Amino acid sequence: ASQLSSLSAGSASGRHSACARLRARAHQWPPRAPMAAAGDVLALSPQETSKWCVSLALCGVRGRVLRELQDQILRQHIDGATFDRMLRTNALQDLAIEELNPRLALAIRRSWTTDFAGVRLVGYNGQESYRQPPPPSDNGCGGCSGG
């Protein structure tokens, strides 16, 4: 049984790598110039984020699911930073796309992670949509003198 599971894991990993290579060749994604590298900052508009989704067809996300995903990204104005946050928090299924199951959501997350590894995504309007608010300067005591 352990041999079977390790074979399955190996073939799944091999399929994912092959998928990433095919997507990279077919669509030249991610949409960054050669000058963008790990550690760079990238802002993707909802249109660019939706266009990136075309590369998912090679990984099994196609047809109605792909069209609905792209439509929701555009309709809800989901930029690259928001999409990234949704993937990292497993919130993609909150888009209520009928045929988007956990397996497809995982395939989307893996593809995104591969394509945007090491890139810091910021909101398309130039502000990080996932930025945490700064800690309160009054140590949370509502303006008391501390103590």
Side-chain angles (χ1 to χ4, degrees), residues 75-104:
R75 192 176 314 161
Q76 295 185 35
H77 307 286
I78 299 171
D79 63 11
T82 303
F83 192 68
D84 182 68
R85 186 182 68 243
M86 291 177 75
L87 291 169
R88 286 187 287 111
T89 59
N90 296 316
L92 202 56
Q93 291 184 281
D94 293 349
L95 294 175
I97 297 170
E98 187 176 327
E99 297 175 29
L100 181 61
N101 59 45
R103 182 187 64 79
L104 290 177

Side-chain angles (χ1 to χ4, degrees), residues 43-120:
L44 292 176
S45 69
Q47 292 77 13
E48 291 168 320
T49 304
S50 175
K51 185 178 178 184
W52 173 85
C53 291
V54 172
S55 69
L56 295 169
L58 295 170
C59 295
V61 181
R62 53 178 72 92
R64 182 176 169 186
V65 177
L66 178 59
R67 286 189 303 275
E68 287 184 33
L69 176 61
Q70 290 178 298
D71 184 52
Q72 287 296 327
I73 288 170
L74 294 173
R75 192 176 314 161
Q76 295 185 35
H77 307 286
I78 299 171
D79 63 11
T82 303
F83 192 68
D84 182 68
R85 186 182 68 243
M86 291 177 75
L87 291 169
R88 286 187 287 111
T89 59
N90 296 316
L92 202 56
Q93 291 184 281
D94 293 349
L95 294 175
I97 297 170
E98 187 176 327
E99 297 175 29
L100 181 61
N101 59 45
R103 182 187 64 79
L104 290 177
L106 179 60
I108 293 167
R109 189 176 77 202
R110 285 180 175 165
S111 296
W112 181 268
T113 301
T114 299
D115 287 351
F116 296 100
V119 174
R120 186 168 65 104

